[in-house]
Amino acid sequence: MNSHDNCIFCKIVAGQIPSRKVYEDDDMMAFHDIHPKAPVHFLLIPKSHVDSLAECGPAEGEVLARMMLKVPELARAAGCGNGFRTVINTGPDGGQEVYHLHVHVLGGPRNQWKVSLP
Ligand code: AMP
Ligand code: ZN
């Protein structure tokens, strides 16, 4: 596995930083966001480090596809039967703060969200 020493999400994958785990398999991991912006807010990440969606190439295609297909399953299991939002912030203008690719999954009643998005 391509682990980056100073990457907070690599440390979560390695169990060096605690997280509230939602899901894990050989390729990916999901855990609750530490500052939730909606009643349901978890992050889905590839275990293998890649900085952002902009850095992905063909080598990441398979895990990206698997992650996207896993999102609705995890969202349903988290109680988002009425829908959910999937967000990937990319780069400075995309508002990315943690440079280990992650998919935000947000759900729950809309009037309880702390963000308004397009
Ligand atoms: P982004 O702006 O897309 O890079 O979002 C990074 C997200 O990671 C933010 O929503 C943070 O609240 C979340 N976050 C940062 N550190 C942790 C952590 N240790 N555990 C869970 N979520 C975190
Ligand atoms: Zn990382």
Side-chain angles (χ1 to χ4, degrees), residues 4 7 9-10 49 100:
H4 282 221
C7 171
F9 288 174
C10 281
H49 182 97
H100 179 132

Side-chain angles (χ1 to χ4, degrees), residues 3-114:
S3 180
H4 282 221
D5 286 347
N6 284 318
C7 171
I8 185 168
F9 288 174
C10 281
K11 287 182 178 165
I12 285 177
V13 169
Q16 292 161 359
I17 290 177
S19 68
R20 288 174 55 221
K21 198 188 297 181
V22 170
Y23 175 78
E24 180 174 15
D25 66 22
D26 286 349
D27 302 325
M28 68 186 91
M29 185 174 170
F31 51 89
H32 292 282
D33 197 292
I34 204 166
H35 294 125
K37 296 218 161 57
V40 174
H41 185 179
F42 63 84
L43 306 174
L44 179 61
I45 68 171
K47 284 188 171 178
S48 181
H49 182 97
V50 59
D51 280 358
S52 77
L53 189 60
E55 306 302 321
C56 287
E60 284 73 38
E62 198 170 319
V63 70
L64 284 173
R66 291 195 62 239
M67 287 168 63
M68 288 304 113
L69 294 170
K70 186 60 72 176
V71 165
E73 180 186 324
L74 298 180
R76 250 188 325 268
C80 304
N82 203 37
F84 56 88
R85 192 179 290 261
T86 310
V87 176
I88 304 175
N89 297 326
T90 304
D93 283 352
Q96 185 173 3
E97 289 173 2
V98 176
Y99 278 79
H100 179 132
L101 172 66
H102 52 281
V103 180
H104 294 259
V105 180
L106 301 129
R110 286 299 291 262
N111 60 4
Q112 295 174 31
W113 290 35
K114 294 177 185 157

